[in-house]
Amino acid sequence: MISEKMRGYVENSSAIRAMFEEGKKMADQFGAENVYDFSLGNPNVPAPAEVKNAIEEILKNEDARMVHGYMNNAGYEDVREAVAASLNQRFGTAFHKENILMTVGAAGGMNVLMKTLLNPGDEVLTFAPYFGEYRAYVTNYDGILKEVEPDTETFQPNLKKFEQMLSEKTKAVIVNTPNNPTGVVYSEATIQKMAAILETKQKEFGTSIYLISDEPYRELAYDGVEVPYLTKYYRNTIVGYSFSKSLSLPGERIGYLVMPDELDSAKDIIAAAAVANRILGYVNAPSLFQRVIAKCLDAKADLEYYNRNRETLYNGLQKAGLTCIKPEGAFYLFVKSPIADEKEFCQKAKEYHLLIVPGSSFACPGYVRLAYCVSYETIVNALPKFEELMKNYK
């Protein structure tokens, strides 16, 4: 017998992962070159050369007992110092190593934060469409996730609805920019308005509301678009970061939290997060890759590769008769379904060996998500299939 909570998780398991697994079966059946899998945000760009060089240098020159051993639950001090210094140089902040907690990717960091902040019944707001795992991260610790309905014209946060939904029970707000699944970057004006609303509501309720900025796609922004660094706009901001996308390291599970001194109860939050890192079973972030990323903080994946994919897929889908907001960041297109039931559209797409994810997985039915972090050849070969698919709807 499994727990009732886990039973619910199993029954509502990720549609993205299910599509990914189905894609592997279809590849075995029809040949990988004949299956066009846009389901999973698994980077197709190799990790930068600096990563391999750093691994070799560390294994050759550093004491193996230290490299593979335990350290402070928050992470190696020199690594945290390096992360803080990099952020300060890039964003004009004033962080120090105590503000940094090394985590098992962004997902591990989010779970650490929810464990740290939430009491049963506390509410967490997020903006639809959103990464569906947020619901599990919140309910893992008996919190309640509240979805702010989307503005489907711009996919910027719907701040009017947001202001109405904030309450004395609101403990945190999760934002994700550049956004998965839309690729939209939340503008500075949007962030400034959101911060002003939060400041007003904190005073009205006499509570602390923490803004959690989930940032695995920060470095993936196109056409010179700037991604605001949220700690500069709202005092009670905590940043979660992952190197999964920026350095193409999703399987290595390495990231960090930034918990500024300006936070309400900052010392308690920093101390509690380190303990949560341990008692959730992570103990510490992977030791070797803590040391690796410290040497690769200025390295980047090939953004031009993703940009070519973005332009080719966006233009090709428009030609086929599909519409979407042109993404400013990340590596996803969020496309309007030609029929109201986007799940039915996804099923029809499978007949053409096209694997796409329904928008209801992101609390935004009527749309579908395509991950364009695939080979360029996959996109070029898939576009005629999309044109054939759309003939069913003309």
Side-chain angles (χ1 to χ4, degrees):
M1 293 291 291
I2 62 173
S3 75
E4 288 304 312
K5 183 181 286 188
M6 277 308 303
R7 188 178 303 281
Y9 289 157
V10 171
E11 290 173 355
N12 296 289
S13 186
S14 171
I16 302 170
R17 284 284 173 174
M19 192 75 72
F20 176 63
E21 294 298 330
E22 187 166 353
K24 290 194 294 184
K25 293 177 183 177
M26 289 177 66
D28 290 339
Q29 183 179 357
F30 301 110
E33 72 280 5
N34 298 314
V35 177
Y36 313 102
D37 188 353
F38 297 96
S39 64
L40 190 63
N42 192 22
N44 194 57
V45 175
E50 291 94 327
V51 172
K52 180 179 179 182
N53 294 339
I55 293 170
E56 291 175 344
E57 180 183 342
I58 290 164
L59 294 179
K60 180 178 179 181
N61 298 322
E62 296 192 16
D63 186 336
R65 294 169 296 179
M66 182 273 290
V67 171
H68 303 299
Y70 284 131
M71 80 297 296
N72 185 299
N73 294 133
Y76 289 113
E77 290 193 357
D78 60 330
V79 173
R80 290 154 55 210
E81 285 176 350
V83 170
S86 175
L87 294 172
N88 294 341
Q89 189 275 327
R90 292 172 62 198
F91 302 116
T93 48
F95 303 133
H96 48 81
K97 66 178 184 292
E98 284 78 16
N99 299 127
I100 309 298
L101 173 77
M102 304 307 298
T103 64
V104 182
M110 293 292 284
N111 275 272
V112 164
L113 279 180
M114 297 304 129
K115 180 71 170 176
T116 297
L117 295 175
L118 297 185
N119 290 308
D122 281 347
E123 294 180 357
V124 178
L125 269 60
T126 197
F127 297 93
Y130 64 90
F131 179 51
E133 300 285 29
Y134 289 165
R135 181 167 297 281
Y137 301 162
V138 172
T139 57
N140 280 347
Y141 310 101
D142 298 319
I144 299 169
L145 187 69
K146 297 283 189 176
E147 303 166 355
V148 182
E149 67 182 59
D151 170 3
T152 54
E153 291 296 317
T154 66
F155 285 109
Q156 292 286 318
N158 186 335
L159 295 181
K160 182 178 180 179
K161 291 291 184 181
F162 171 66
E163 186 171 13
Q164 294 170 353
M165 291 177 66
L166 290 165
S167 74
E168 293 180 358
K169 294 182 178 180
T170 306
K171 191 63 169 287
V173 176
I174 301 172
V175 294
N176 171 221
T177 175
N179 181 258
N180 175 12
T182 65
V184 167
V185 174
Y186 294 173
S187 69
E188 182 177 47
T190 292
I191 298 303
Q192 288 172 332
K193 291 175 185 176
M194 186 186 304
I197 291 169
L198 287 169
E199 291 286 6
T200 298
K201 290 299 182 179
Q202 283 189 137
K203 292 176 183 176
E204 178 183 338
F205 301 141
T207 61
S208 298
I209 304 174
Y210 296 96
L211 180 61
I212 300 170
S213 184
D214 180 29
E215 300 192 352
Y217 302 99
R218 165 164 287 279
E219 273 64 57
L220 275 61
Y222 311 101
D223 302 328
V225 171
E226 294 289 330
V227 183
Y229 201 75
L230 271 60
T231 65
K232 301 172 72 173
Y233 299 87
Y234 181 64
R235 176 175 52 82
N236 271 330
T237 297
I238 301 172
V239 176
Y241 185 81
S242 167
F243 294 92
S244 293
K245 317 302 183 181
S246 62
L247 295 183
S248 296
L249 299 173
E252 301 299 348
R253 312 310 307 141
I254 185 69
Y256 60 78
L257 294 176
V258 183
M259 298 168 285
D261 289 336
E262 292 77 18
L263 295 174
D264 291 345
S265 305
K267 289 184 178 179
D268 288 342
I269 288 173
I270 290 168
V275 172
N277 211 30
R278 184 181 77 241
I279 65 175
L280 288 175
Y282 304 125
V283 182
N284 52 255
S287 59
L288 172 59
F289 267 82
Q290 285 191 54
R291 308 212 62 74
V292 168
I293 60 96
K295 295 179 179 293
C296 300
L297 290 170
D298 295 324
K300 291 180 174 62
D302 183 0
L303 192 61
E304 186 49 42
Y305 182 100
Y306 292 135
N307 189 44
R308 182 173 69 157
N309 283 3
R310 176 183 73 126
E311 294 284 358
T312 302
L313 185 59
Y314 175 76
N315 291 330
L317 292 180
Q318 284 204 315
K319 181 182 175 184
L322 289 158
T323 59
C324 72
I325 294 284
K326 189 173 185 179
E328 299 170 306
F331 40 51
Y332 306 105
L333 290 178
F334 203 54
V335 180
K336 180 72 173 175
S337 171
I339 55 175
D341 186 349
E342 88 284 3
K343 292 181 180 179
E344 180 183 328
F345 179 60
C346 290
Q347 285 297 122
K348 189 67 176 178
K350 287 182 193 176
E351 295 179 17
Y352 298 85
H353 299 177
L354 296 164
L355 300 177
I356 55 182
V357 181
S360 51
S361 298
F362 307 94
C364 192
Y367 290 79
V368 297
R369 191 195 76 172
L370 284 74
Y372 57 83
C373 50
V374 297
S375 73
Y376 183 67
E377 292 72 23
T378 294
I379 290 174
V380 170
N381 294 332
L383 288 177
K385 297 295 184 181
F386 277 107
E387 292 186 4
E388 291 177 30
L389 168 65
M390 286 302 292
K391 289 177 182 177
N392 294 281
Y393 304 100
K394 292 180 179 177

